[in-house]
Amino acid sequence: MSAPTLPTVSTAPTAVLPTPVRPHAPTGVAAPRRRALRAHLGTLAGTAVLAVLVWRLGTGAFLDGLRRIDGPTVLAALGIGLVTTVFSAWRWALVARGLRIRLPLAAAVADYYRALFLNAALPGGVLGDVHRAVRHGRSAGDLGRGVRAVVLERVAGQLALMGVGAGVLLTMPSPVRAEARHLAPLVALALAGALAVVLALRMNRAPARRGRAMRTALGEARHGLLSRRNLPGIALSSAVVLAGHLTMFVLAARVAGSAASVAALTPLAVLALLAMGLPLNVGGWGPREGVTAWAFGAAGLGAGTGLGVAVVYGVLSLVASLPGVAVLVGRRYAARYTRSPSEPSEPSESSESSYVDGVPAVSAVSSAKYSPKESARLSSSSFPFSAEPSEGRPMTPESV
């Protein structure tokens, strides 16, 4: 009787079929889609506000305001824009230095002009600031820190507006003074509660990763905004910028034919500036016109006059940003005709920065390039007019 035959097992390698990919989009793709959807919704909301205003008030307020703009008004807008842009760029340079990123004042002014023009010309109202943040981060060799410098600079401006605006709306006659006085205690309690939550999270030792991120953000805010050498300059620049915006609004009111006093126009201007911060606009247009028309109507100055003031203010703001066109054209021309073939347009692998998945990754910077004496001198300087910066060069020997 013969033994049963066992089945033969093949030792040849078998092909492994790839795992089918799920049809859903990955997180890295879904996030940009969500951001794009929010941007489109904001543009649609701003367009809807403008359409309602045209439907209710007609086009006469738009056209009448535009016809009143003349040469001296344009020159005045350019002068006000120059002052506000220079001081805004100085504030940005101060914040960047607080984060150990060198930013020349001349380059900051040019980039700020370009950002203002892109903000006014493109939907969304923030694309210029995004471009400014990314460009500065890449030139400095640290994209994240460059972006955070721009975010903190914008936060400083908004904090100054909210602080001054709260004082104006609580003390000066306006259509919302009664509501502001009723809401002020609730807002104060909400801020106190948020501060208590933050302190509780820090005391309870949040997860390591979240705790590190929070400590990093608070540390950068402290060094960039609240340090002893930065806070006076940031406060001064923010006050000058806000005063420039209020002056532009009063100029727009005079051009539009409003004879209201400066004291009566100031709270209305604050409401318009707060509305401009809403991400529901088309190049800054939309909520500003709606809020200004309502505020002027509630104050007894006429909704049509308010709409005309908002339109003139928008046009004058666009005029004030027009030097950004010269920056765009000049840099495009310089990049095309003056850069030699041996100079790479972006940092290459042989330079101090390299790219990983399209994002610059910073390698360690040689400490031989920076003497301790120079680093100490740079870190002690806080006034950008007296600095001798070199754009894209970190302030400290370590990698930033």
Side-chain angles (χ1 to χ4, degrees), residues 17 58 66 88-89 99 110 122 131 155 183 188 213-214 231 354 364 379:
L17 296 178
L66 294 176
S88 296
L99 302 185
L122 299 177
H131 184 268
V155 167
L183 291 176
M214 182 178 297
L231 182 58
S354 60
S379 61

Side-chain angles (χ1 to χ4, degrees), residues 116-393:
L116 290 175
F117 175 74
L118 294 178
N119 285 342
L122 299 177
V126 295
L127 296 180
D129 290 326
V130 173
H131 184 268
R132 171 166 64 100
V134 172
R135 185 182 185 277
H136 179 231
R138 287 181 174 176
S139 65
D142 192 327
L143 182 61
R145 191 169 295 188
V147 170
R148 291 192 293 273
V150 173
V151 171
L152 288 176
E153 184 269 327
R154 299 303 302 150
V155 167
Q158 292 300 315
L159 289 177
L161 173 60
M162 289 188 290
V164 174
V168 168
L169 296 178
L170 289 173
T171 58
M172 301 183 69
S174 71
V176 298
R177 184 171 65 174
E179 290 78 2
R181 289 180 174 179
H182 284 95
L183 291 176
L186 298 178
V187 173
L189 289 176
L191 292 176
L195 180 61
V197 170
V198 172
L199 293 177
L201 289 176
R202 294 194 65 182
M203 292 177 63
N204 292 332
R205 297 293 183 182
R209 185 174 181 180
R210 186 181 304 173
R212 284 196 302 269
M214 182 178 297
R215 286 192 296 271
T216 301
L218 293 176
E220 290 183 341
R222 183 173 63 254
H223 292 297
L225 300 179
L226 305 177
S227 64
R228 183 178 302 177
R229 62 190 180 91
N230 271 9
L231 182 58
I234 290 176
L236 174 62
S237 61
S238 299
V240 173
V241 171
L242 181 56
H245 292 324
L246 295 176
T247 304
M248 185 81 79
F249 189 89
V250 173
L251 174 63
R254 295 291 181 260
V255 172
S258 175
S261 64
V262 175
L265 291 173
T266 299
L268 307 182
V270 169
L271 291 174
L273 294 176
L274 291 173
M276 289 175 60
L278 298 175
L280 305 172
N281 58 77
V282 184
W285 297 78
R288 176 185 59 209
E289 284 68 31
V291 170
T292 307
W294 169 82
F296 269 72
L301 300 176
T305 302
L307 179 58
V309 171
V311 170
V312 174
Y313 182 88
V315 174
L316 295 183
S317 298
L318 178 61
V319 169
S321 68
L322 287 181
V325 179
V327 176
L328 285 171
V329 175
R331 287 186 172 174
R332 180 69 60 86
Y333 178 85
R336 180 175 298 178
Y337 295 103
T338 64
R339 181 180 295 143
S340 62
S342 61
E343 296 179 354
S345 59
E346 297 290 343
S348 62
E349 294 182 357
S350 60
S351 63
E352 293 177 357
S353 299
S354 60
Y355 283 83
V356 178
D357 294 333
V359 179
V362 184
S363 60
V365 181
S366 173
S367 60
K369 292 185 177 182
Y370 306 94
S371 63
K373 182 177 179 181
E374 182 184 3
S375 298
R377 179 178 59 83
L378 291 174
S379 61
S380 63
S381 176
S382 62
F383 198 75
F385 295 95
S386 61
E388 298 176 358
S390 175
E391 183 179 10
R393 186 174 178 182

